[in-house]
Structures are given as structure tokens and as C-alpha cells.
Amino acid sequence: MRLPKLLSVLCLFVCSPALLADVLPYQNPALPVAKRVQDLLARMSLDEKLGQMLMGGRDWVKPDQVRQLNMGTLLSGGGSVPSPNTVDGWVKMMKGYQEAAHATRLGIPVLYGIDSVHGFQLLPTATIFPQQVGLGAARDEDLMRRIGQITAREMSAAGVYWNFAPVVAVVDDIRWGRAYEALGEDTKLTTRLATAYSKGFQSGLEVFGQGAPHPIVTAKHYLGDGGVAYQSAKMPTPTGQAPIMDRGDTRGDEAALLARFLPPYKAQIDAGARSVMPSFSSWNGVKMHANGKLLTDVLRKQLGFNGLVVTDWEALQYLPANGFGEQLALATNAGVDVFMEPSKTAEVLRLMRQNVEQNKVSQARINEAVANILRVKFEMGLFEHDGPIAEAKALVGSPEHRAVAREAVRKSLVLLKNGGALPLKRDQHIIVAGRHANDLGLQSGGWTLEWQGFAGNNSRLPGATTIVDGIRQVAGPSAKVDYREEGDFSKSAVSAKAPADVALVFVGEPPYAEWLGDRMAEGLMLSAADLRQIATLRPLARKLVLVLVSGRPLILGDALAQSDAVVAAWLPGSEGEGVADVLFGDAPFVGKLPYAWPRDAAGFLPASAPVEARKASLLFEVGYGLSN
Ligand code: BGC
Ligand code: BGC
């Protein structure tokens, strides 16, 4: 522990004048946060202030640069992990960064952020919850609260206290590649569930006692990210694959925008959220990162937000301004505080210095931005404790945490059809087919270990359980469960003449993130291979149960009639047993659709379509779900 810090902590208990003399006001936790912010800000040079506004990416920034640039924040983007990617690996990495921050003149701790969108899913041994689409089906606030708590606790083992979650997008159109990251198409449901999550996350470390930091959430992506119009995306993207919707344009009048998309932000802020991330997207053609009206008048003045606004990944280069310097000025003047420009920290610092010197950005705006950042750091208690929580290490991926994830899986399953095929019975002969039953990457989806998720290597998530292993476990040793990934039962005892009791066929989506998941409606149809597999399995069993492992509703076509039962399992995460629990009737089906289910591709309509027309285009409405 650094000396001033030690003194300031001691001061809490003894506070003798002699000790106090060595502690600067900003180092004194007994003083109100506003006083500490004021004191520290007054001591800072322009470069030190601008340093706080930088966000370095782990892939580009070494501890030494944190020290040289007085860097205030850092992040791991999707898939950016230390080696080894273990709790100890994270602890060591974080220690390096914090020590570099301590070595600066003012010793301001670094704030490190990651996207723990369904648990701390960058870490292989973590508990991985269903993606939010499944939680939108589970509709359980208390569960959300516990998921938030657990996520905060597992992150705290690594010493990371800033989450770029929850996604509070209200999603208009499931053709958008981020539909699975959201809680559905309903504003109220999203608001209720995301708020419970954030409350849980923020209070998650209270169990570790008073000295533990207060972790923070990020409500994202502000505002109207889920409202982007089909084919409105014009942005070039780093992968070269053109998006259809992601980062596109949301349209309509202000009253409609605010009514549909603002309530979750208001609720997040009322519940204490300390960070907001603007959206890559635009509203009526105006990029959100440059929208001063929404970022300042609405967010700051109307909602009273005084936390920090962090830009989205390299978003500034897309702003309509002349060069990077002016893009930075535009965003800063619109109201952003932290620049997520992970590879360009030195350049951002240089250009921002110029912006201030040339009066393109006022000193007052810089002071305000830095005050927002420092306020959050003080409130979090980072000046007193910025290291990992040692006790939390044993909780990472622990049985208690995994039990909650399994409960979440059980509650997320939606039963769409059941002609007497479910629940399964343990004395039945059950044949199982489909790669989605036996692939931890496919059942976890995007952002898991990698930005785009992974597939085909179950050893990457030690401690996780595939769905088919879950079925074997839950069925018990005496049950007859026969799994063939490709569905080829030709060399087995089952045949059309001697059918099994039940065939469980798993189909679904590959993992994806952001615009790489954008699809035309035709892209939401079950693939030809999936349909072939269903057709092959159909005669081999008396009953056929179709289980969808996907981030959104998929267009079923003939598969609906071919199946005796249909289950939406979403992207359940690390605890595949949860799927089995419900299939075998150990737990009831309680999930309800967070998204309406389209009937076919030709007639596909988003949620914003006229009510009656949309209704006519659906197979199942929002909220649909059978109970066995
Ligand atoms: C995504 C954000 C994410 C950020 C950092 C961006 O591309 O849009 O949701 O928080 O990357 O990984
Ligand atoms: C990063 C993500 C980020 C994405 C956006 C990726 O390289 O890992 O965190 O969201 O780029 O372009």
C-alpha cells in the first residue's frame, strides 16, 4: 500500500492532526467526494486532466504508457485477455497497471472496464449466464439481481470493477445482430430487468465488507441503438463486411424516441448507474456521439446524470468533422468524458491539447469531464482499494454461482409447442442429434472468450457443461441416451421400423457479435442442413422435440409441423444441465417470449410496423410460452 493511502486509511480510525498533515484533502476518505474532486482537480495540469479522459486498450498499452500519459482508464475489448487467462493472470496484469498509475505524480488509480455481458465471460473458468435474450424470457427480477451480484464478485477477483453492461437496448427488429444482447422488444420489461441487474451488480461486493470497492455498470448504447432501421447502416466497418443495421439510423420524432428508449436509462440512473455509453448509431442522421441535445440536455440536465460518458470503440472516427482532432472536439463538446480510442491514446492526448489551446474545447468542459471521472473513482472507493478481492477468487465458477446460472437457464426456456412429447421420461430411449447439443461455444454465443465467440473446442471452457452432457447427467446412468452429432443413426439399433421413443434435435445459430450478426429475414430461416436433419430424424422416433439454440427467434417453416414439441433455449451459457432439467420436467417451463416470433421471411415485420399488420405476420406474440 502506498504511504499516503495507508495514512488516509489509518486516518479513518485515528485521524490525529499529526497524521492528517501528510494527507492531502483528495487522499482523505473522510472528506466528502465533492471536496476531494475539487481538491484534486485544482492540483492537475492540463495534460494530467486530459490523461484521465484517455482509455487505452490492453492490446496496445503497457503499464509504462499509463504512467507516461497519466492514463485514467483502460479496457479489454472482446477477446483481449492476459496470458495466462486465469484469475492470477488478471491479478498480475491489473497490478502492473495500477502500480504504473500509483507512480504518477498524483497517483490516481486506473479505472479498467470490460464487457461482462453474461457473466465474466472473458475468463474461461467463470460462471457464464444465459445471454440477456434468455433473461428477457425468464423475466425474474430477483434472478437478475443475483446475476448482477455474482458477475461483480467474479470480476472483483480479477480487480476489475467497471462493467460495460447492461445492454438496455429496446429492440425493434431481430434482424439486428445485437438482439441477443438485449432483453427484448418491450420497454417496460427491459427497464425492470436491467435495473434489477444493475442494483445487484452495484451492491455485489458489500459482502466483502466496507473497504471493498463499489463496482459500476454502464447503461448502453445511448440512445435508440435497438431502433436502427433495416438497411440504414452505412458505416464502413473494420472487418469490411457491411452491416445491414448495426450502427445505423433510428428514425422518428423526439417524443417517440424518448418514450420507447429513454425509460431504461432513467431507471438505471435513478438506481445509481455511473456510466453511460453512447451508441454508434444515429438518430435522424445525427450521430449519437455528437448529439449534444441528447447527451447533455437530456442525459445530464433532464435525467440528472453526473457519472461519466464513455465513447464506444473507435466511434469518433465516424463523426462528421474535419479530421480526428475535430471529431474529438465535436464529441467532447457534445458531452463525452472518456475516449475509447484504444490504440490512439498518445494521438488523442496531443489533439485534445491542441483543441484546448485553440479554444475548440473550453477548459470548463475539460474540468467538467475530469470531475465526472474523478467523482466516479472516488465514489467507487478506488483511491482506497484498487486491487483485487482475494476472497473472491474461490467464488469464481463456484458451485453456488453455477447453481444460479443453471436456475437462469431453466427459467429462460420457452416452450412453443407440445404435442405430448415433453416432459421426457427417464425410461425412454432418447436419441439426440445436432452440433448445438455438444458445443460450449455455440451454446454461449458472442462475446464469450472472443469478441465473436467461438465454436468447436469444448476444452476452452473448463467447468462448463454441454447440453448433451447435461441431458446424460440429469437422465441418470440407467437412461438410454444416444447422441450423434450429425444425426447419423444408420449403424444403430434405431430405424423407421424400430423407432426410439424420442428424438431431440438441436439446431440454431453460429456465434456472432455486432454487425456480423445482422441478417436479412431469409437469414433467420432454419438452414437447409437443419431441415434435412429434422427430416432424417423424424421417422426414427415416435416423438420429435426440436430445440433451438439461438440468439433470437428463427423462422421454423415446415419444422414446426414436423416437430411434436418445440423449445427455444436461447444461448444458455456454461450450465447446459439447466436445459435438461426442464426437458425432463424436474423444473417447469416458465419462460415467455421476449421477442415476437415471425411466421415466415417474406412477411417479416419489425415491432415498429402497424400493430395489426405485424400481428398477422407472427407465429407467436411477445409473452407467448406454454407451461408443459
Ligand atoms: C461495442 C460495445 C463494447 C465495446 C468494447 C464496441 O464495439 O459496441 O458494446 O462495450 O465495443 O468492447
Ligand atoms: C474488439 C471489440 C470491439 C470491436 C469493434 C474488436 O476488435 O475486440 O471489443 O467491440 O472490435 O470493432
PDB file of all heavy atoms in Angstrom, residues 415-434:
ATOM      1  N   LEU A 415     -41.355 -22.839 -24.073  1.00  0.00           N
ATOM      2  CA  LEU A 415     -41.997 -23.947 -24.771  1.00  0.00           C
ATOM      3  C   LEU A 415     -42.978 -23.371 -25.795  1.00  0.00           C
ATOM      4  O   LEU A 415     -43.941 -22.701 -25.440  1.00  0.00           O
ATOM      5  CB  LEU A 415     -42.734 -24.828 -23.754  1.00  0.00           C
ATOM      6  CG  LEU A 415     -43.425 -26.086 -24.288  1.00  0.00           C
ATOM      7  CD1 LEU A 415     -42.427 -27.035 -24.956  1.00  0.00           C
ATOM      8  CD2 LEU A 415     -44.160 -26.816 -23.158  1.00  0.00           C
ATOM      9  N   LEU A 416     -42.692 -23.633 -27.065  1.00  0.00           N
ATOM     10  CA  LEU A 416     -43.505 -23.044 -28.138  1.00  0.00           C
ATOM     11  C   LEU A 416     -44.613 -23.981 -28.602  1.00  0.00           C
ATOM     12  O   LEU A 416     -45.647 -23.547 -29.095  1.00  0.00           O
ATOM     13  CB  LEU A 416     -42.601 -22.693 -29.321  1.00  0.00           C
ATOM     14  CG  LEU A 416     -41.487 -21.665 -29.034  1.00  0.00           C
ATOM     15  CD1 LEU A 416     -40.560 -21.535 -30.228  1.00  0.00           C
ATOM     16  CD2 LEU A 416     -42.089 -20.311 -28.675  1.00  0.00           C
ATOM     17  N   LYS A 417     -44.355 -25.261 -28.478  1.00  0.00           N
ATOM     18  CA  LYS A 417     -45.345 -26.244 -28.934  1.00  0.00           C
ATOM     19  C   LYS A 417     -45.124 -27.508 -28.122  1.00  0.00           C
ATOM     20  O   LYS A 417     -43.973 -27.846 -27.814  1.00  0.00           O
ATOM     21  CB  LYS A 417     -45.110 -26.528 -30.422  1.00  0.00           C
ATOM     22  CG  LYS A 417     -45.930 -27.674 -30.988  1.00  0.00           C
ATOM     23  CD  LYS A 417     -45.671 -27.908 -32.468  1.00  0.00           C
ATOM     24  CE  LYS A 417     -46.495 -29.113 -32.935  1.00  0.00           C
ATOM     25  NZ  LYS A 417     -46.351 -29.338 -34.391  1.00  0.00           N
ATOM     26  N   ASN A 418     -46.203 -28.207 -27.771  1.00  0.00           N
ATOM     27  CA  ASN A 418     -46.017 -29.503 -27.114  1.00  0.00           C
ATOM     28  C   ASN A 418     -47.190 -30.429 -27.397  1.00  0.00           C
ATOM     29  O   ASN A 418     -48.263 -30.291 -26.827  1.00  0.00           O
ATOM     30  CB  ASN A 418     -45.846 -29.328 -25.601  1.00  0.00           C
ATOM     31  CG  ASN A 418     -45.427 -30.630 -24.941  1.00  0.00           C
ATOM     32  OD1 ASN A 418     -45.037 -31.579 -25.640  1.00  0.00           O
ATOM     33  ND2 ASN A 418     -45.508 -30.694 -23.626  1.00  0.00           N
ATOM     34  N   GLY A 419     -46.938 -31.367 -28.265  1.00  0.00           N
ATOM     35  CA  GLY A 419     -47.943 -32.389 -28.547  1.00  0.00           C
ATOM     36  C   GLY A 419     -47.625 -33.649 -27.767  1.00  0.00           C
ATOM     37  O   GLY A 419     -47.385 -34.701 -28.352  1.00  0.00           O
ATOM     38  N   GLY A 420     -47.557 -33.514 -26.455  1.00  0.00           N
ATOM     39  CA  GLY A 420     -47.368 -34.683 -25.598  1.00  0.00           C
ATOM     40  C   GLY A 420     -45.967 -35.274 -25.603  1.00  0.00           C
ATOM     41  O   GLY A 420     -45.742 -36.373 -25.095  1.00  0.00           O
ATOM     42  N   ALA A 421     -44.994 -34.556 -26.156  1.00  0.00           N
ATOM     43  CA  ALA A 421     -43.635 -35.112 -26.202  1.00  0.00           C
ATOM     44  C   ALA A 421     -42.830 -34.788 -24.951  1.00  0.00           C
ATOM     45  O   ALA A 421     -41.873 -35.483 -24.607  1.00  0.00           O
ATOM     46  CB  ALA A 421     -42.909 -34.579 -27.435  1.00  0.00           C
ATOM     47  N   LEU A 422     -43.229 -33.746 -24.279  1.00  0.00           N
ATOM     48  CA  LEU A 422     -42.498 -33.313 -23.080  1.00  0.00           C
ATOM     49  C   LEU A 422     -43.439 -33.337 -21.890  1.00  0.00           C
ATOM     50  O   LEU A 422     -44.633 -33.117 -22.050  1.00  0.00           O
ATOM     51  CB  LEU A 422     -41.960 -31.886 -23.278  1.00  0.00           C
ATOM     52  CG  LEU A 422     -40.841 -31.741 -24.321  1.00  0.00           C
ATOM     53  CD1 LEU A 422     -40.502 -30.271 -24.539  1.00  0.00           C
ATOM     54  CD2 LEU A 422     -39.594 -32.513 -23.886  1.00  0.00           C
ATOM     55  N   PRO A 423     -42.924 -33.542 -20.688  1.00  0.00           N
ATOM     56  CA  PRO A 423     -41.520 -33.815 -20.362  1.00  0.00           C
ATOM     57  C   PRO A 423     -41.060 -35.207 -20.796  1.00  0.00           C
ATOM     58  O   PRO A 423     -41.877 -36.116 -20.982  1.00  0.00           O
ATOM     59  CB  PRO A 423     -41.490 -33.681 -18.839  1.00  0.00           C
ATOM     60  CG  PRO A 423     -42.891 -33.943 -18.389  1.00  0.00           C
ATOM     61  CD  PRO A 423     -43.772 -33.468 -19.497  1.00  0.00           C
ATOM     62  N   LEU A 424     -39.746 -35.345 -20.902  1.00  0.00           N
ATOM     63  CA  LEU A 424     -39.157 -36.648 -21.221  1.00  0.00           C
ATOM     64  C   LEU A 424     -39.251 -37.545 -19.991  1.00  0.00           C
ATOM     65  O   LEU A 424     -39.340 -37.059 -18.873  1.00  0.00           O
ATOM     66  CB  LEU A 424     -37.677 -36.466 -21.585  1.00  0.00           C
ATOM     67  CG  LEU A 424     -37.363 -35.501 -22.722  1.00  0.00           C
ATOM     68  CD1 LEU A 424     -35.851 -35.299 -22.817  1.00  0.00           C
ATOM     69  CD2 LEU A 424     -37.919 -36.032 -24.047  1.00  0.00           C
ATOM     70  N   LYS A 425     -39.210 -38.841 -20.250  1.00  0.00           N
ATOM     71  CA  LYS A 425     -39.218 -39.770 -19.118  1.00  0.00           C
ATOM     72  C   LYS A 425     -37.894 -40.519 -19.091  1.00  0.00           C
ATOM     73  O   LYS A 425     -37.299 -40.776 -20.135  1.00  0.00           O
ATOM     74  CB  LYS A 425     -40.384 -40.746 -19.255  1.00  0.00           C
ATOM     75  CG  LYS A 425     -41.713 -40.038 -19.102  1.00  0.00           C
ATOM     76  CD  LYS A 425     -42.891 -40.974 -19.323  1.00  0.00           C
ATOM     77  CE  LYS A 425     -44.150 -40.174 -19.620  1.00  0.00           C
ATOM     78  NZ  LYS A 425     -44.072 -39.432 -20.902  1.00  0.00           N
ATOM     79  N   ARG A 426     -37.480 -40.857 -17.918  1.00  0.00           N
ATOM     80  CA  ARG A 426     -36.142 -41.429 -17.776  1.00  0.00           C
ATOM     81  C   ARG A 426     -36.040 -42.856 -18.319  1.00  0.00           C
ATOM     82  O   ARG A 426     -34.942 -43.347 -18.558  1.00  0.00           O
ATOM     83  CB  ARG A 426     -35.687 -41.362 -16.318  1.00  0.00           C
ATOM     84  CG  ARG A 426     -35.308 -39.938 -15.938  1.00  0.00           C
ATOM     85  CD  ARG A 426     -34.918 -39.785 -14.499  1.00  0.00           C
ATOM     86  NE  ARG A 426     -34.260 -38.512 -14.267  1.00  0.00           N
ATOM     87  CZ  ARG A 426     -34.875 -37.348 -14.080  1.00  0.00           C
ATOM     88  NH1 ARG A 426     -36.191 -37.276 -14.089  1.00  0.00           N
ATOM     89  NH2 ARG A 426     -34.185 -36.249 -13.874  1.00  0.00           N
ATOM     90  N   ASP A 427     -37.179 -43.512 -18.503  1.00  0.00           N
ATOM     91  CA  ASP A 427     -37.091 -44.877 -19.046  1.00  0.00           C
ATOM     92  C   ASP A 427     -37.259 -44.896 -20.566  1.00  0.00           C
ATOM     93  O   ASP A 427     -37.328 -45.953 -21.183  1.00  0.00           O
ATOM     94  CB  ASP A 427     -38.111 -45.794 -18.355  1.00  0.00           C
ATOM     95  CG  ASP A 427     -39.543 -45.291 -18.556  1.00  0.00           C
ATOM     96  OD1 ASP A 427     -39.727 -44.239 -19.231  1.00  0.00           O
ATOM     97  OD2 ASP A 427     -40.471 -45.936 -18.031  1.00  0.00           O
ATOM     98  N   GLN A 428     -37.302 -43.733 -21.165  1.00  0.00           N
ATOM     99  CA  GLN A 428     -37.446 -43.693 -22.627  1.00  0.00           C
ATOM    100  C   GLN A 428     -36.099 -43.895 -23.311  1.00  0.00           C
ATOM    101  O   GLN A 428     -35.056 -43.559 -22.751  1.00  0.00           O
ATOM    102  CB  GLN A 428     -38.012 -42.329 -23.058  1.00  0.00           C
ATOM    103  CG  GLN A 428     -39.485 -42.164 -22.756  1.00  0.00           C
ATOM    104  CD  GLN A 428     -39.956 -40.745 -23.049  1.00  0.00           C
ATOM    105  OE1 GLN A 428     -39.240 -39.780 -22.827  1.00  0.00           O
ATOM    106  NE2 GLN A 428     -41.179 -40.631 -23.536  1.00  0.00           N
ATOM    107  N   HIS A 429     -36.171 -44.399 -24.528  1.00  0.00           N
ATOM    108  CA  HIS A 429     -34.972 -44.421 -25.353  1.00  0.00           C
ATOM    109  C   HIS A 429     -34.936 -43.090 -26.103  1.00  0.00           C
ATOM    110  O   HIS A 429     -35.832 -42.772 -26.878  1.00  0.00           O
ATOM    111  CB  HIS A 429     -34.998 -45.600 -26.322  1.00  0.00           C
ATOM    112  CG  HIS A 429     -33.779 -45.643 -27.190  1.00  0.00           C
ATOM    113  ND1 HIS A 429     -33.714 -46.356 -28.352  1.00  0.00           N
ATOM    114  CD2 HIS A 429     -32.562 -45.037 -27.052  1.00  0.00           C
ATOM    115  CE1 HIS A 429     -32.511 -46.183 -28.903  1.00  0.00           C
ATOM    116  NE2 HIS A 429     -31.804 -45.393 -28.126  1.00  0.00           N
ATOM    117  N   ILE A 430     -33.881 -42.317 -25.836  1.00  0.00           N
ATOM    118  CA  ILE A 430     -33.806 -40.950 -26.374  1.00  0.00           C
ATOM    119  C   ILE A 430     -32.618 -40.854 -27.323  1.00  0.00           C
ATOM    120  O   ILE A 430     -31.487 -41.171 -26.944  1.00  0.00           O
ATOM    121  CB  ILE A 430     -33.642 -39.939 -25.217  1.00  0.00           C
ATOM    122  CG1 ILE A 430     -34.833 -40.043 -24.254  1.00  0.00           C
ATOM    123  CG2 ILE A 430     -33.510 -38.517 -25.760  1.00  0.00           C
ATOM    124  CD1 ILE A 430     -34.670 -39.289 -22.963  1.00  0.00           C
ATOM    125  N   ILE A 431     -32.893 -40.461 -28.534  1.00  0.00           N
ATOM    126  CA  ILE A 431     -31.776 -40.188 -29.448  1.00  0.00           C
ATOM    127  C   ILE A 431     -31.629 -38.673 -29.591  1.00  0.00           C
ATOM    128  O   ILE A 431     -32.615 -37.936 -29.581  1.00  0.00           O
ATOM    129  CB  ILE A 431     -31.932 -40.899 -30.820  1.00  0.00           C
ATOM    130  CG1 ILE A 431     -33.221 -40.466 -31.520  1.00  0.00           C
ATOM    131  CG2 ILE A 431     -31.877 -42.413 -30.651  1.00  0.00           C
ATOM    132  CD1 ILE A 431     -33.364 -41.052 -32.933  1.00  0.00           C
ATOM    133  N   VAL A 432     -30.372 -38.244 -29.674  1.00  0.00           N
ATOM    134  CA  VAL A 432     -30.086 -36.809 -29.684  1.00  0.00           C
ATOM    135  C   VAL A 432     -29.198 -36.500 -30.888  1.00  0.00           C
ATOM    136  O   VAL A 432     -28.233 -37.219 -31.148  1.00  0.00           O
ATOM    137  CB  VAL A 432     -29.354 -36.378 -28.389  1.00  0.00           C
ATOM    138  CG1 VAL A 432     -29.194 -34.860 -28.346  1.00  0.00           C
ATOM    139  CG2 VAL A 432     -30.089 -36.866 -27.148  1.00  0.00           C
ATOM    140  N   ALA A 433     -29.528 -35.436 -31.597  1.00  0.00           N
ATOM    141  CA  ALA A 433     -28.734 -35.064 -32.769  1.00  0.00           C
ATOM    142  C   ALA A 433     -28.505 -33.564 -32.815  1.00  0.00           C
ATOM    143  O   ALA A 433     -29.293 -32.785 -32.269  1.00  0.00           O
ATOM    144  CB  ALA A 433     -29.454 -35.512 -34.046  1.00  0.00           C
ATOM    145  N   GLY A 434     -27.432 -33.180 -33.480  1.00  0.00           N
ATOM    146  CA  GLY A 434     -27.180 -31.757 -33.724  1.00  0.00           C
ATOM    147  C   GLY A 434     -25.983 -31.229 -32.960  1.00  0.00           C
ATOM    148  O   GLY A 434     -25.806 -31.502 -31.777  1.00  0.00           O
TER     149      GLY A 434
END
